Amino acid sequence: MMNRVKFIEIDQLKIAYQVEGIGHPVILLHGWGCEANTFKSVFESLSNSHQVYALDLPGFGLSENPPTAWDASDYAKLLSSFFDKLNINKAHLIGHSYGGRISIVLAAEEAEKVSKLILVDSAGIIPRRTVKYHLRISISKIGRLIRHCGTFGNRIADRLAHRAGSRDYQEAGAMRATLVKSVNQNLRPILPRIQAPTLLIWGENDIDTPVSDGKIMEEEIPQAKLVVLDNAGHYSFLDQSQQFFQIVSNFLD
Protein backbone atom coordinates (compact mmCIF):
# COMPACT_ATOMS: atom_id res chain seq x y z
CA MET A 1 0.00 0.00 0.00
CA MET A 2 1.19 3.54 -0.72
CA ASN A 3 0.05 5.07 2.55
CA ARG A 4 -2.52 4.57 5.21
CA VAL A 5 -5.89 4.22 3.52
CA LYS A 6 -8.65 6.61 4.49
CA PHE A 7 -12.37 6.15 3.95
CA ILE A 8 -15.12 8.61 3.14
CA GLU A 9 -18.84 8.01 2.63
CA ILE A 10 -20.38 9.57 -0.47
CA ASP A 11 -24.01 8.92 -1.40
CA GLN A 12 -24.03 5.95 1.01
CA LEU A 13 -20.97 4.39 -0.63
CA LYS A 14 -17.76 3.78 1.32
CA ILE A 15 -14.87 5.08 -0.79
CA ALA A 16 -11.21 4.32 -0.08
CA TYR A 17 -8.56 6.91 -0.89
CA GLN A 18 -5.03 7.95 -0.02
CA VAL A 19 -3.56 11.42 0.25
CA GLU A 20 -0.01 12.72 0.63
CA GLY A 21 1.94 15.94 0.09
CA ILE A 22 1.37 19.69 0.18
CA GLY A 23 0.56 21.99 -2.73
CA HIS A 24 -1.97 22.22 -5.52
CA PRO A 25 -4.26 19.14 -5.45
CA VAL A 26 -3.81 16.35 -7.98
CA ILE A 27 -6.40 13.58 -8.33
CA LEU A 28 -5.29 10.19 -9.72
CA LEU A 29 -7.99 8.02 -11.31
CA HIS A 30 -7.04 4.45 -12.19
CA GLY A 31 -8.26 2.29 -15.04
CA TRP A 32 -10.77 -0.55 -15.21
CA GLY A 33 -9.88 -3.58 -13.09
CA CYS A 34 -7.16 -1.67 -11.22
CA GLU A 35 -6.99 0.28 -7.96
CA ALA A 36 -5.23 3.31 -6.50
CA ASN A 37 -1.98 1.40 -5.96
CA THR A 38 -1.56 1.04 -9.72
CA PHE A 39 -0.47 4.68 -9.57
CA LYS A 40 2.00 4.05 -6.69
CA SER A 41 5.07 5.42 -8.49
CA VAL A 42 3.16 8.44 -9.84
CA PHE A 43 1.65 9.11 -6.42
CA GLU A 44 5.04 9.06 -4.70
CA SER A 45 6.71 11.20 -7.33
CA LEU A 46 4.07 13.94 -7.46
CA SER A 47 3.53 14.10 -3.69
CA ASN A 48 6.93 15.81 -3.42
CA SER A 49 5.44 18.93 -5.00
CA HIS A 50 1.64 18.53 -4.83
CA GLN A 51 -1.12 17.31 -2.56
CA VAL A 52 -1.96 14.03 -4.28
CA TYR A 53 -5.16 12.03 -3.88
CA ALA A 54 -5.55 8.50 -5.25
CA LEU A 55 -8.99 6.89 -5.15
CA ASP A 56 -10.17 3.33 -5.34
CA LEU A 57 -13.08 3.90 -7.70
CA PRO A 58 -16.41 2.32 -6.67
CA GLY A 59 -16.31 -1.37 -7.52
CA PHE A 60 -12.52 -1.63 -7.25
CA GLY A 61 -9.92 -1.97 -4.51
CA LEU A 62 -11.39 -1.32 -1.07
CA SER A 63 -14.31 0.83 -2.25
CA GLU A 64 -17.86 -0.49 -2.34
CA ASN A 65 -19.64 -1.42 -5.57
CA PRO A 66 -22.05 1.03 -7.22
CA PRO A 67 -25.67 0.21 -6.29
CA THR A 68 -26.69 0.01 -9.98
CA ALA A 69 -25.00 -0.04 -13.39
CA TRP A 70 -22.98 3.17 -13.66
CA ASP A 71 -21.32 4.96 -16.56
CA ALA A 72 -18.58 7.60 -16.53
CA SER A 73 -21.13 10.35 -15.83
CA ASP A 74 -22.16 8.63 -12.59
CA TYR A 75 -18.53 8.26 -11.54
CA ALA A 76 -17.91 11.92 -12.37
CA LYS A 77 -20.79 12.96 -10.10
CA LEU A 78 -19.24 10.96 -7.27
CA LEU A 79 -15.86 12.57 -7.97
CA SER A 80 -17.47 16.00 -7.83
CA SER A 81 -18.93 15.11 -4.42
CA PHE A 82 -15.46 13.94 -3.34
CA PHE A 83 -14.15 17.42 -4.18
CA ASP A 84 -16.91 19.04 -2.15
CA LYS A 85 -16.56 16.78 0.90
CA LEU A 86 -12.80 17.34 1.13
CA ASN A 87 -13.03 21.07 0.33
CA ILE A 88 -11.04 20.72 -2.89
CA ASN A 89 -11.95 23.77 -4.96
CA LYS A 90 -9.85 22.99 -8.03
CA ALA A 91 -7.43 20.21 -8.94
CA HIS A 92 -5.33 18.72 -11.69
CA LEU A 93 -6.78 15.43 -12.94
CA ILE A 94 -4.71 12.47 -14.15
CA GLY A 95 -6.88 9.69 -15.53
CA HIS A 96 -5.66 6.40 -16.99
CA SER A 97 -7.92 4.40 -19.33
CA TYR A 98 -11.33 4.25 -17.59
CA GLY A 99 -10.15 6.95 -15.19
CA GLY A 100 -9.69 9.07 -18.30
CA ARG A 101 -13.37 8.64 -19.12
CA ILE A 102 -14.32 10.04 -15.73
CA SER A 103 -11.83 12.88 -16.06
CA ILE A 104 -13.24 13.84 -19.46
CA VAL A 105 -16.79 14.06 -18.10
CA LEU A 106 -15.85 16.14 -15.05
CA ALA A 107 -13.66 18.49 -17.13
CA ALA A 108 -16.49 19.00 -19.62
CA GLU A 109 -19.38 19.23 -17.16
CA GLU A 110 -17.71 21.10 -14.27
CA ALA A 111 -14.85 22.99 -15.87
CA GLU A 112 -14.43 25.22 -12.81
CA LYS A 113 -13.09 22.26 -10.82
CA VAL A 114 -10.29 21.25 -13.20
CA SER A 115 -7.02 23.18 -13.45
CA LYS A 116 -5.14 20.94 -15.88
CA LEU A 117 -6.11 17.62 -17.39
CA ILE A 118 -3.82 14.68 -18.17
CA LEU A 119 -5.34 11.75 -20.04
CA VAL A 120 -3.17 8.63 -20.15
CA ASP A 121 -4.10 5.99 -22.75
CA SER A 122 -7.64 7.17 -22.13
CA ALA A 123 -10.87 5.45 -23.03
CA GLY A 124 -13.86 7.40 -24.31
CA ILE A 125 -13.82 6.98 -28.08
CA ILE A 126 -16.09 4.23 -29.40
CA PRO A 127 -14.02 2.12 -31.80
CA ARG A 128 -15.04 1.41 -35.38
CA ARG A 129 -17.23 -1.69 -35.39
CA THR A 130 -15.48 -4.66 -37.00
CA VAL A 131 -16.85 -7.95 -38.33
CA LYS A 132 -15.51 -9.58 -35.17
CA TYR A 133 -17.53 -7.13 -33.04
CA HIS A 134 -20.78 -7.86 -34.89
CA LEU A 135 -20.12 -11.60 -34.57
CA ARG A 136 -19.72 -11.19 -30.81
CA ILE A 137 -23.00 -9.29 -30.62
CA SER A 138 -24.79 -12.02 -32.59
CA ILE A 139 -23.41 -14.73 -30.29
CA SER A 140 -24.50 -12.73 -27.22
CA LYS A 141 -28.05 -12.37 -28.59
CA ILE A 142 -28.25 -16.11 -29.27
CA GLY A 143 -27.08 -16.77 -25.72
CA ARG A 144 -29.83 -14.58 -24.26
CA LEU A 145 -32.47 -16.42 -26.31
CA ILE A 146 -31.46 -19.94 -25.29
CA ARG A 147 -31.44 -19.10 -21.58
CA HIS A 148 -35.18 -19.76 -21.76
CA CYS A 149 -34.44 -23.43 -22.43
CA GLY A 150 -33.77 -24.47 -18.84
CA THR A 151 -30.55 -25.61 -17.18
CA PHE A 152 -29.00 -26.94 -20.37
CA GLY A 153 -29.76 -23.67 -22.15
CA ASN A 154 -28.08 -21.72 -19.35
CA ARG A 155 -24.95 -23.85 -19.63
CA ILE A 156 -24.71 -23.26 -23.37
CA ALA A 157 -25.42 -19.54 -22.91
CA ASP A 158 -22.63 -19.26 -20.32
CA ARG A 159 -20.18 -20.86 -22.75
CA LEU A 160 -21.26 -18.51 -25.54
CA ALA A 161 -20.90 -15.48 -23.25
CA HIS A 162 -17.40 -16.62 -22.34
CA ARG A 163 -16.43 -16.93 -26.01
CA ALA A 164 -18.05 -13.63 -27.02
CA GLY A 165 -16.93 -11.43 -24.14
CA SER A 166 -13.66 -9.57 -23.75
CA ARG A 167 -11.33 -10.45 -20.89
CA ASP A 168 -12.62 -7.45 -18.92
CA TYR A 169 -16.19 -8.65 -19.52
CA GLN A 170 -15.39 -12.20 -18.43
CA GLU A 171 -13.73 -10.98 -15.23
CA ALA A 172 -16.16 -8.16 -14.39
CA GLY A 173 -18.46 -10.20 -12.16
CA ALA A 174 -20.84 -7.88 -10.30
CA MET A 175 -19.46 -4.94 -12.32
CA ARG A 176 -20.39 -6.44 -15.70
CA ALA A 177 -23.45 -4.23 -16.25
CA THR A 178 -21.39 -1.15 -15.42
CA LEU A 179 -18.74 -2.22 -17.92
CA VAL A 180 -21.31 -2.72 -20.68
CA LYS A 181 -22.97 0.62 -19.97
CA SER A 182 -19.62 2.40 -19.87
CA VAL A 183 -18.05 1.05 -23.06
CA ASN A 184 -21.12 2.11 -25.01
CA GLN A 185 -20.92 5.70 -23.76
CA ASN A 186 -19.41 7.83 -26.52
CA LEU A 187 -17.62 10.83 -25.00
CA ARG A 188 -16.43 12.34 -28.26
CA PRO A 189 -19.32 14.88 -28.47
CA ILE A 190 -18.32 16.52 -25.15
CA LEU A 191 -14.57 16.78 -25.85
CA PRO A 192 -14.84 20.33 -27.34
CA ARG A 193 -16.36 21.52 -24.05
CA ILE A 194 -13.16 20.86 -22.11
CA GLN A 195 -11.59 24.20 -21.18
CA ALA A 196 -8.58 23.04 -19.17
CA PRO A 197 -5.14 22.79 -20.78
CA THR A 198 -4.88 19.10 -21.65
CA LEU A 199 -1.94 16.74 -22.01
CA LEU A 200 -2.55 13.42 -23.78
CA ILE A 201 0.04 10.72 -23.09
CA TRP A 202 -0.11 7.50 -25.10
CA GLY A 203 1.96 4.36 -25.51
CA GLU A 204 2.77 3.79 -29.17
CA ASN A 205 1.93 0.08 -28.81
CA ASP A 206 -1.36 0.51 -26.96
CA ILE A 207 -3.83 -2.01 -28.41
CA ASP A 208 -6.62 -1.38 -25.88
CA THR A 209 -7.04 2.33 -26.60
CA PRO A 210 -4.92 2.92 -29.72
CA VAL A 211 -2.98 6.09 -30.50
CA SER A 212 -5.65 6.93 -33.09
CA ASP A 213 -7.99 7.63 -30.13
CA GLY A 214 -5.45 10.07 -28.74
CA LYS A 215 -5.22 11.83 -32.10
CA ILE A 216 -9.01 12.25 -32.17
CA MET A 217 -8.93 13.75 -28.68
CA GLU A 218 -6.11 16.10 -29.69
CA GLU A 219 -8.26 17.36 -32.56
CA GLU A 220 -11.45 17.71 -30.51
CA ILE A 221 -10.15 19.20 -27.24
CA PRO A 222 -9.33 22.91 -27.72
CA GLN A 223 -6.10 23.10 -25.67
CA ALA A 224 -4.74 19.58 -26.13
CA LYS A 225 -1.27 18.27 -26.89
CA LEU A 226 -0.54 14.60 -27.65
CA VAL A 227 2.73 12.95 -26.64
CA VAL A 228 3.40 9.39 -27.78
CA LEU A 229 5.89 7.31 -25.79
CA ASP A 230 8.07 4.85 -27.69
CA ASN A 231 8.15 1.21 -26.61
CA ALA A 232 5.13 1.62 -24.35
CA GLY A 233 1.72 -0.01 -24.27
CA HIS A 234 -1.58 0.66 -22.51
CA TYR A 235 0.22 1.27 -19.19
CA SER A 236 2.59 3.82 -20.66
CA PHE A 237 3.15 5.46 -17.26
CA LEU A 238 4.71 2.20 -16.07
CA ASP A 239 6.45 1.20 -19.29
CA GLN A 240 8.28 4.53 -19.61
CA SER A 241 8.05 5.85 -16.07
CA GLN A 242 10.99 8.27 -16.07
CA GLN A 243 9.95 9.90 -19.32
CA PHE A 244 6.35 10.02 -18.10
CA PHE A 245 7.30 11.78 -14.85
CA GLN A 246 9.41 14.35 -16.68
CA ILE A 247 6.63 15.19 -19.15
CA VAL A 248 3.99 15.41 -16.42
CA SER A 249 6.17 17.55 -14.14
CA ASN A 250 6.94 19.99 -16.93
CA PHE A 251 3.24 20.25 -17.80
CA LEU A 252 2.04 20.80 -14.24
CA ASP A 253 4.78 23.31 -13.43
Side-chain angles (χ1 to χ4, degrees), residues 15 32 44 67 75 81 86 91 95 102-103 133 172 177 181 202 234-235 245 252:
I15 305 300
W32 186 270
E44 292 174 347
Y75 278 98
S81 297
L86 293 178
I102 301 165
S103 302
Y133 168 82
K181 187 174 183 181
W202 242 264
H234 188 57
Y235 291 83
F245 297 146
L252 295 183

Side-chain angles (χ1 to χ4, degrees), residues 12-87:
Q12 300 182 325
L13 281 181
K14 185 171 72 172
I15 305 300
Y17 73 98
Q18 300 172 56
V19 58
E20 186 67 42
I22 299 173
H24 193 82
V26 176
I27 312 291
L28 303 178
L29 300 171
H30 63 76
W32 186 270
C34 299
E35 58 184 30
N37 285 327
T38 309
F39 268 127
K40 182 175 186 286
S41 57
V42 180
F43 182 95
E44 292 174 347
S45 175
L46 289 178
S47 62
N48 292 320
S49 53
H50 296 80
Q51 185 175 48
V52 186
Y53 296 82
L55 285 73
D56 282 348
L57 296 171
F60 305 99
L62 299 176
S63 293
E64 293 182 332
N65 288 353
T68 59
W70 278 18
D71 60 15
S73 299
D74 298 303
Y75 278 98
K77 289 175 184 175
L78 179 132
L79 180 59
S80 179
S81 297
F82 181 84
F83 273 59
D84 296 340
K85 285 228 172 187
L86 293 178
N87 296 314

Side-chain angles (χ1 to χ4, degrees), residues 24 26 46 49-50 91-95 114-120 194-201 221-227 243-253:
H24 193 82
V26 176
L46 289 178
S49 53
H50 296 80
H92 303 313
L93 293 184
I94 302 179
V114 182
S115 301
K116 292 183 178 180
L117 176 64
I118 301 177
L119 301 176
V120 186
I194 294 175
Q195 299 177 22
T198 302
L199 175 63
L200 308 166
I201 303 179
I221 299 173
Q223 299 185 70
K225 170 69 175 178
L226 173 64
V227 177
Q243 189 178 4
F244 178 87
F245 297 146
Q246 187 62 55
I247 292 168
V248 167
S249 296
N250 290 342
F251 179 71
L252 295 183
D253 292 341

